[in-house]
Amino acid sequence: MPEKISLSDVKLKYASIADARRMPGLRIILGAMTVPGPWREACKGIFHVKKVPFVPVASAGQDGSDRELIEWTAQSSAPVAIWNDERPRSTWIEQLYLAERLAPNPPLIPDAIEERALMFGCANEICGERGFGWSRRLTMIHSTVTNPKTPEAQRAFWLKFGAKYGYSTEAAEAAPARMIAILRFLDERLSAQKAKGSRFFIGDRLSALDIYWATFATLVKPLEPELCPMATGFREMYTERNPDVLSAASPQLLAHRDFIYREYLELPVVF
Ligand SMILES: N[C@@H](CCC(=O)N[C@@H](CS)C(=O)NCC(=O)O)C(=O)O
C-alpha cells in the first residue's frame, strides 16, 4: 500500500534545531513528521485554540541523530515547547501552563479548584506516565517486537524505544486493563456531563481535557484519511484491534473526539 503521506508532502515548514535555537519567540520541536503522535497533536492543538503562532522544529539534528535535541532540551522526546530563552518544556503539563500564560484566553485550565483538580487528574490519566497513551504505546511496542514478521533491525529499534518508556512483556500485558479503566471513567464522565446539559468533560466549556482526549483517541481509531492524511503504516499500527479496548472506546467518546476536532482543532490535521 502506498504511504498516504511521505516526507515530501509535509506542509509545515520545519526549522532545524540549529536555526531555531537562534530565534526568539515560540518554537515547538514536533517529533515524527508524518504521524499524528498524540502528545504532539495535543500540544499543537492547545496553541492553535489559543491562536499562538509558533515555529515548527524538526527533532532530528543535522546528522539525523537526537544529539542536538538532547543538547538543547536535556531529554530526547517530543514535543518540546521553547519560549524565548526560558527552559525547554518537554512535558504536556508544562506546555499547557506555558500556553495558558502566553494567551490566557480562551482559558483551558478551569478556575474553580474542584474542576481544576478533576481536569488535571483526568488529563494525567490520558497523557501521564502509565496513562492511556503510555499504556497504548506499550501494547504497540509489544505487538511489533513479538511479531515474527518484524525485521530484526526494526525489532531492535522498537526495543530501544520501549526501554525509554518502561516496556516489558508484563507491563504490556497489564496495559489493556488500564486503558479500559481509563476509557470507562472518561465515558462515565461524559454521560454525567450530558445529563447536566454540558457537551464538555469539565464544567460547561472547553478545557484542555477535551483536547487531550480528542488527540489521544487516534490511538484507538485514527480519523479517516481525508481528515488525517497520516503515514499508512502508522494508521495500521495506531488502529486498536483488542475487542475489549474497542468496546470501552464508546461511540459517545468517539463522537466527542469528532465534535472537538470539528469545532476547535485544525482539519485536516496538518503535517
Ligand atoms: N515527554 C512527554 C511525552 C512525550 C512523548 O512520549 N513523546 C514520544 C512520542 S512516542 C516521543 O517523542 N518519542 C520519540 C522518542 O522517544 O524517540 C510528556 O511527558 O508529556
Side-chain angles (χ1 to χ4, degrees):
M1 221 192 295
E3 294 287 295
K4 184 73 189 169
I5 184 173
S6 65
L7 283 180
S8 56
D9 300 318
V10 162
K11 301 224 166 29
L12 291 172
K13 297 259 176 292
Y14 285 84
S16 67
I17 288 186
D19 288 344
R21 287 189 80 159
R22 292 193 291 269
M23 295 173 186
L26 183 64
R27 291 134 297 155
I28 305 185
I29 302 170
L30 281 175
M33 292 181 185
T34 58
V35 184
W39 287 273
R40 157 196 158 108
E41 292 306 322
C43 183
K44 269 171 72 204
I46 281 163
F47 285 102
H48 173 78
V49 164
K50 288 179 171 286
K51 297 192 169 58
V52 177
F54 63 87
V55 174
V57 183
S59 37
Q62 316 284 29
D63 62 359
S65 79
D66 55 14
R67 185 180 51 82
E68 290 177 62
L69 173 64
I70 294 170
E71 275 172 14
W72 194 13
T73 71
Q75 57 84 59
S76 64
S77 78
V80 189
I82 306 107
W83 173 246
N84 291 333
D85 56 2
E86 292 186 8
R87 75 176 196 277
R89 286 168 164 87
S90 58
T91 59
W92 61 273
I93 193 166
E94 294 173 297
Q95 290 155 7
L96 175 58
Y97 270 105
L98 175 65
E100 201 77 349
R101 170 160 63 93
L102 298 183
N105 285 304
L108 293 177
I109 300 176
D111 214 27
I113 185 161
E114 293 80 8
E115 293 187 347
R116 191 167 66 243
L118 182 61
M119 192 205 77
F120 275 112
C122 293
N124 190 53
E125 293 303 314
I126 296 177
C127 317
E129 290 202 30
R130 302 195 63 215
F132 174 76
W134 281 68
S135 302
R136 176 72 177 109
R137 178 164 54 198
L138 295 177
T139 67
M140 292 188 332
I141 296 169
H142 192 59
S143 23
T144 310
V145 302
T146 56
N147 182 347
K149 291 194 190 133
T150 302
E152 230 14 80
Q154 223 173 308
R155 190 189 326 276
F157 167 85
W158 283 97
L159 283 172
K160 192 168 166 216
F161 180 73
K164 279 170 78 170
Y165 298 108
Y167 170 70
S168 65
T169 302
E170 300 71 48
E173 283 170 357
R178 214 165 164 93
M179 290 161 61
I180 290 166
I182 295 167
L183 290 171
R184 290 200 179 131
F185 186 81
L186 291 172
D187 185 58
E188 281 162 20
R189 176 85 209 145
L190 268 191
S191 298
Q193 286 290 98
K194 207 170 262 178
K196 284 195 205 159
S198 171
R199 301 184 75 181
F200 304 96
F201 273 122
I202 306 285
D204 56 5
R205 61 177 304 158
L206 181 76
S207 74
L209 182 58
D210 298 294
I211 298 174
Y212 292 133
W213 167 247
T215 49
F216 277 68
T218 192
L219 298 176
V220 176
K221 186 170 176 242
L223 288 164
E224 47 268 44
E226 294 68 39
L227 298 180
C228 182
M230 66 194 285
T232 311
F234 273 87
R235 175 172 292 281
E236 183 53 33
M237 180 181 273
Y238 272 30
T239 302
E240 179 60 88
R241 307 277 174 212
N242 179 322
D244 300 330
V245 177
L246 280 176
S247 72
S250 65
Q252 166 172 266
L253 278 172
L254 292 173
H256 189 62
R257 175 271 293 275
D258 295 344
F259 161 61
I260 297 300
Y261 258 105
R262 203 170 52 240
E263 299 291 324
Y264 300 100
L265 300 175
E266 266 178 300
L267 283 177
V269 174
V270 190
F271 290 100

